[in-house]
Amino acid sequence: MQSLKFRKAELTDLDRLLHLINLAYRENPIQSWTNEADYVSGQRINKLQLQQALMDDNYHLYVAEVEDVISTTSLIGCIGLAFNEEEVEIGTFCVDPVFQNTGVGKMILSFAETQALLIQPNLRLYMMYVLDIRSELIAYYQRRGYSLTQVRKPYPIDANVGTPLLNIELQQLIKHVS
């Protein structure tokens, strides 16, 4: 695989990011093992939500890109960091289904953890929320050093991030900064 390049997302990335995020989370492509379409209907994010997130000083969204042989750059992943005191919440993490199962996700997560420490050197904890029924995704994060906590939250219906098709909750995972 070509080398990944990371940069902070810009407002000019909105349309490509909207497509990528909704493709990876909700459009149910066959090869996407991280897709939620069987559990949640509707868009994962809309243009206004993404635009507001990009303008939030406490939120950092990074994109992962590859360049092909004719120097065309493709956006193939993204990950968000939201800071709160000595912790960072990792979210909006997705990889284009074509690039899943190639190690790209590991590289993006590793980049985000390193970047979070550069932004906030006193960081003590990485945190994220995953749908509780996504055992394969929870296992993936556990292999990356994250642990389940007792914290569970109701699915955020009022956040306009889709409608649950089943009774689901968000499960918190944490990783202590070493």
Side-chain angles (χ1 to χ4, degrees):
M1 161 181 272
Q2 311 93 323
S3 67
L4 282 179
K5 293 186 172 74
F6 297 98
R7 65 175 174 81
K8 198 161 182 191
E10 302 169 356
L11 288 173
T12 56
D13 296 316
L14 272 175
D15 289 334
R16 292 191 309 158
L17 280 166
L18 276 173
H19 173 73
L20 172 70
I21 295 166
N22 286 308
L23 174 71
Y25 279 97
R26 300 288 162 74
E27 292 182 19
N28 206 16
I30 300 298
Q31 71 268 35
S32 177
W33 68 275
T34 61
N35 194 275
E36 301 172 346
D38 291 339
Y39 315 111
V40 182
S41 68
Q43 285 189 315
R44 169 61 174 77
I45 196 165
N46 64 45
K47 195 168 193 168
L48 180 60
Q49 289 168 321
L50 187 55
Q51 189 173 17
Q52 288 172 339
L54 291 177
M55 295 182 342
D56 181 344
D57 291 337
N58 191 45
Y59 182 75
H60 303 260
L61 185 66
Y62 292 92
V63 297
E65 297 176 313
V66 292
E67 194 173 284
D68 65 20
V69 291
I70 57 171
S71 299
T72 303
T73 303
S74 296
L75 192 150
I76 65 164
C78 67
I79 195 163
L81 304 172
F83 293 90
N84 181 22
E85 297 179 18
E86 295 180 339
E87 62 186 39
V88 63
E89 183 176 341
I90 297 173
T92 318
F93 177 21
C94 67
V95 174
D96 184 316
V98 172
F99 290 90
Q100 289 181 11
N101 298 316
T102 64
V104 168
K106 290 177 199 171
M107 288 185 271
I108 293 173
L109 184 57
S110 178
F111 165 82
E113 291 173 349
T114 301
Q115 191 66 26
L117 276 172
L118 291 173
I119 294 167
Q120 191 165 311
N122 65 333
L123 197 64
R124 296 175 48 126
L125 190 69
Y126 303 109
M127 174 188 48
M128 63 177 65
Y129 290 91
V130 178
L131 295 181
D132 63 340
I133 57 175
R134 300 300 313 278
S135 57
E136 72 287 354
L137 202 50
I138 290 169
Y140 170 83
Y141 290 121
Q142 288 175 317
R143 291 190 301 274
R144 310 272 87 64
Y146 287 80
S147 302
L148 289 172
T149 70
Q150 297 300 314
V151 177
R152 293 168 85 89
K153 292 182 173 183
Y155 188 85
I157 294 172
D158 2 345
N160 194 24
V161 292
T163 305
L165 301 172
L166 308 166
N167 184 18
I168 55 178
E169 292 181 307
L170 300 179
Q171 169 68 60
Q172 184 187 62
L173 291 101
I174 62 169
K175 179 179 177 180
H176 294 279
V177 176
S178 32

